[in-house]
Amino acid sequence: MRLRLFSDIEARLSRVRLVDKEFIYCRPESVTIAKLPGVPAINHVGLWNENTTRLTQLRPLAPPAVFIEFYPVTWGELGRNAVHGNMVIRLHIVTATLAQTDTPYRDEALHRFRLIRAVKAAFVDFGGAADAQGRSFSRFRYSGSSTDHNHEQVCEDLEEWTTHCVDCSATIDNGYILTPHNVTLDTGDIFADAFGEEMV
C-alpha cells in the first residue's frame, strides 16, 4: 500500500510547476505531461528520515524538496484476508532561503508558503481507485499543518493528510479473485464440488 501511495503522490507532485516565478498545480485533465509549463517546482521527492534535515543543511540535494512520512496504521479485517485502515501521511516540505520578511526580499522569504499552497492544490480531490492488485485509497482529507519557526537557512514545514486505504491484494492472484471453493462464472465449467453433480 505504501508503494502505491508513494508512487501516486510523487506523480501528483511532479505537476507542481514554477512558471514565471509563481508556483502552480497543473491538473491532469488540463494539460498532458509532455506539455507542462515552466519547470518542476520540487527538485526532490523522497521518503522521510529523521536525519534528512541535517543532510539538507549539508546540501547533498537542492531544495525545494518534499519528503513523505507514513504514520503507523492499525489494519482491520474486511474478510478473506482483505484489510482496511486510516493512514496519516505527513509531507515535510523543505525549502532554503536567507531572506527575511523585514527586508526588500520579503517575497523570497514568503516563497515557501506559495509552494505549500500549490502542494495543497495538488491534493484536492486526490484519491486512488483499485488497481490490478486490489489496492485503493479514498480522497485525501487535509488534517493538519505546522510552520517551521525555528530555522536558519533551511525550513521544514509540515503538511498532513488522512486517507482510508483498502488492500485486497491478499485475495487476488494473477488478476483473479481467490475464493475458498472452485467457483467460476459464465464459463460453462461444472460447479460440482460446490453443488454436486445433480445440481448441474
Side-chain angles (χ1 to χ4, degrees):
M1 195 69 231
R2 284 165 289 189
L3 178 59
R4 164 82 195 273
L5 285 165
F6 181 87
S7 298
D8 285 8
I9 292 170
E10 184 178 37
R12 202 83 172 183
L13 292 176
S14 72
R15 293 183 157 276
V16 177
R17 311 290 290 184
L18 184 60
V19 180
D20 298 327
K21 297 184 179 180
E22 291 295 325
F23 293 113
I24 65 167
Y25 171 65
C26 299
R27 298 202 170 280
E29 60 274 10
S30 65
V31 64
T32 64
I33 194 76
K35 298 179 181 177
L36 289 178
V39 297
I42 299 166
N43 293 325
H44 179 78
V45 176
L47 285 174
W48 175 247
N49 181 318
E50 291 297 333
N51 294 315
T52 300
T53 303
R54 186 179 64 82
L55 291 173
T56 305
Q57 290 170 344
L58 300 175
R59 292 301 182 90
L61 55 91
V66 175
F67 296 96
I68 302 167
E69 177 183 2
F70 296 104
Y71 275 37
V73 180
T74 300
W75 296 103
E77 287 284 337
L78 284 172
R80 292 183 25 235
N81 299 316
V83 296
H84 71 113
N86 289 324
M87 184 174 286
V88 176
I89 294 162
R90 177 183 277 180
L91 299 187
H92 298 251
I93 301 173
V94 177
T95 55
T97 183
L98 291 172
Q100 299 293 323
T101 55
D102 57 350
T103 70
Y105 300 100
R106 176 184 172 85
D107 281 348
E108 287 81 355
L110 299 175
H111 219 48
R112 63 198 254 217
F113 298 123
R114 294 185 185 94
L115 175 60
I116 291 170
R117 188 166 52 195
V119 168
K120 284 175 59 180
F123 281 79
V124 172
D125 293 329
F126 177 34
D131 60 14
Q133 290 76 41
R135 297 182 182 98
S136 63
F137 57 93
S138 68
R139 184 179 62 83
F140 273 54
R141 300 180 308 278
Y142 189 50
S143 56
S145 61
S146 177
T147 305
D148 186 355
H149 291 293
N150 183 22
H151 62 83
E152 293 180 359
Q153 183 176 354
V154 176
C155 302
E156 178 200 340
D157 296 305
L158 307 175
E159 300 295 311
E160 196 171 282
W161 281 267
T162 303
T163 184
H164 187 79
C165 300
V166 177
D167 188 347
C168 299
S169 58
T171 65
I172 295 177
D173 182 28
N174 199 24
Y176 295 95
I177 297 175
L178 301 178
T179 63
H181 300 289
N182 295 327
V183 175
T184 59
L185 301 174
D186 298 327
T187 63
D189 292 346
I190 296 175
F191 287 48
D193 60 342
F195 302 106
E197 291 287 348
E198 68 278 3
M199 301 296 290
V200 177

